Amino acid sequence: MEHVLEYFTQVEWQHLIFASLRILLILIIAWVVMSLIRAGLGRMEKRLVERGKKQGDVPSEAHKRAETLVRLLRQAIVILIWIMSLLVILNEMGISIAPILASAGVVGLAVGFGAQNLVRDVISGFFIILENQVRVGDVAVINGTGGLVEAINFRTLQLRDLEGKLHIIPNGTITFMTNVTHGWSAYVFDIPVAYKEDTDRVVALIQRVGAEMRTDSRLRRSMLEDVDVFGVDKFDDSGVVIKGRIKTLPIKQWEVGREFLRRVKQTFDAEGVEIPFPHRTLYFGAASPPVVAQMLNRAEAAPVPPAPPLQRENSHAGER
């Protein structure tokens, strides 16, 4: 009992009380900072959802993307604040934090070398989601592989191609990305016609087809503008190529483009516009007629062959 009383008499109560008050103050400050950060992240999440809806995102996908970003930021900030608070509290308790910081640096360096690919994937995925480079439901070409984006995570991106194959691509390996359906899409067409056709008339027919499609109740919701015909693009081997573009809603360009080509074919057939196809004519010398003409001439000049002798023998046999 005497040793216990002696210990308590040696304790510097004033220093202990002030240290406890400082530790309590540190905890209160950490709690206040966390509350402010949670409120700020909540407002940030709402703004991200509203911005995603304005850009045409599905509400569930916009909320999912914003929630994922905010959750990652919240976890990182919470860990950082509590680690700093713990180090300050240990320093107030008289414990040297220099060895702890040195050990943490060595461990962090070892983990960084061992998981550098994972860290690279996570950081790349974070910026892909933050900058809204590609969304679920977009059609994208990533590192030369095209398909429909089915899922975006912090580590990987899932892409399904036209054959149904699912490509799982680590975010850190993405070096080149093309979003085909971001904001709006376009169907670019090249329509060949024969050299004998009047190109102004052909352009007028194409524009008429586009105007008819704009009056269609089903198609006009997908078409953002009238069909833009650029004009004669080049002289091909078999005809003249007319180039143009149809601006559509995202991922609607193929549906509108197929219907446009179908109507153009029907209009050309009705108006007698020739769509060329590759053909060749062989000549043997500049002054010689074509091979087909020579064959026809030889066939007309050939004499009629006489009746076969077998018929005469059969007729003599009948007389006997």
Side-chain angles (χ1 to χ4, degrees):
M1 189 64 181
E2 293 179 357
H3 294 287
V4 175
L5 293 175
E6 184 179 357
Y7 174 77
F8 277 103
T9 55
Q10 294 178 354
V11 173
E12 297 180 1
W13 292 103
Q14 185 178 2
H15 179 72
L16 181 61
I17 291 173
F18 279 109
S20 301
L21 291 176
R22 285 194 295 267
I23 292 173
L24 180 61
L25 181 61
I26 292 170
L27 294 176
I28 293 174
I29 293 174
W31 180 80
V32 172
V33 172
M34 284 302 308
S35 300
L36 294 175
I37 290 175
R38 287 193 182 96
L41 291 176
R43 288 193 295 268
M44 177 182 174
E45 182 177 357
K46 292 180 181 179
R47 290 180 181 178
L48 288 174
V49 172
E50 293 176 358
R51 189 178 67 177
K53 290 179 180 179
K54 291 180 181 179
Q55 292 178 351
D57 288 348
V58 180
S60 59
E61 292 298 333
H63 182 74
K64 178 182 176 181
R65 184 172 65 89
E67 183 182 4
T68 304
L69 285 173
V70 170
R71 184 176 66 249
L72 180 66
L73 291 174
R74 184 185 296 115
Q75 291 176 353
I77 294 173
V78 166
I79 293 173
L80 180 62
I81 290 177
W82 285 117
I83 288 177
M84 293 177 61
S85 301
L86 179 61
L87 293 176
V88 174
I89 290 172
L90 291 176
N91 189 37
E92 289 294 332
M93 296 175 61
I95 301 175
S96 178
I97 61 174
I100 299 175
L101 294 176
S103 302
V106 173
V107 173
L109 186 62
V111 172
F113 278 113
Q116 56 181 345
N117 291 333
L118 177 61
V119 174
R120 183 183 60 181
D121 294 342
V122 171
I123 294 176
S124 300
F126 173 78
F127 282 103
I128 288 174
I129 298 175
L130 177 64
E131 298 174 358
N132 199 20
Q133 299 176 8
V134 67
R135 300 167 295 180
V136 173
D138 284 344
V139 176
V141 180
I142 301 175
N143 295 344
T145 301
L148 181 69
V149 179
E150 290 195 346
I152 304 174
N153 303 311
F154 278 109
R155 196 180 67 84
T156 60
L157 187 146
Q158 297 182 10
L159 199 69
R160 189 176 296 275
D161 62 15
L162 191 60
E163 298 179 357
K165 300 176 182 177
L166 184 64
H167 303 271
I168 301 175
I169 305 173
N171 294 325
T173 62
I174 297 177
T175 58
F176 183 79
M177 177 190 298
T178 302
N179 193 337
V180 183
T181 57
H182 185 74
W184 55 275
S185 299
Y187 181 82
V188 180
F189 58 85
D190 294 307
I191 300 178
V193 295
Y195 277 100
K196 67 176 184 178
E197 302 294 342
D198 184 1
T199 56
D200 293 337
R201 175 171 174 263
V202 172
V203 170
L205 291 176
I206 295 175
Q207 291 175 342
R208 190 183 75 182
V209 172
E212 292 174 354
M213 292 178 63
R214 291 280 284 173
T215 60
D216 191 294
S217 59
R218 181 177 61 88
L219 296 174
R220 66 184 177 188
R221 291 192 296 268
S222 301
M223 298 176 63
L224 299 179
E225 298 177 357
D226 294 334
V227 176
D228 188 8
V229 182
F230 303 149
V232 177
D233 185 62
K234 62 180 178 179
F235 298 120
D236 210 348
D237 294 337
S238 302
V240 182
V241 177
I242 308 296
K243 195 177 189 68
R245 185 182 70 178
I246 306 174
K247 192 174 180 179
T248 68
L249 292 174
I251 212 170
K252 292 292 185 179
Q253 66 268 36
W254 296 291
E255 177 185 352
V256 174
R258 294 188 186 100
E259 178 63 21
F260 171 75
L261 294 181
R262 186 183 72 86
R263 296 193 180 199
V264 167
K265 175 63 167 59
Q266 292 178 348
T267 302
F268 282 5
D269 290 343
E271 297 292 335
V273 177
E274 179 183 348
I275 299 177
F277 57 90
H279 58 278
R280 295 175 183 267
T281 303
L282 299 179
Y283 291 89
F284 292 90
S288 300
V291 175
V292 177
Q294 284 188 353
M295 294 175 63
L296 292 176
N297 293 334
R298 291 176 181 176
E300 291 177 356
V304 179
L310 182 60
Q311 294 181 357
R312 296 193 187 96
E313 293 177 359
N314 291 339
S315 60
H316 288 298
E319 292 177 0
R320 293 193 189 104

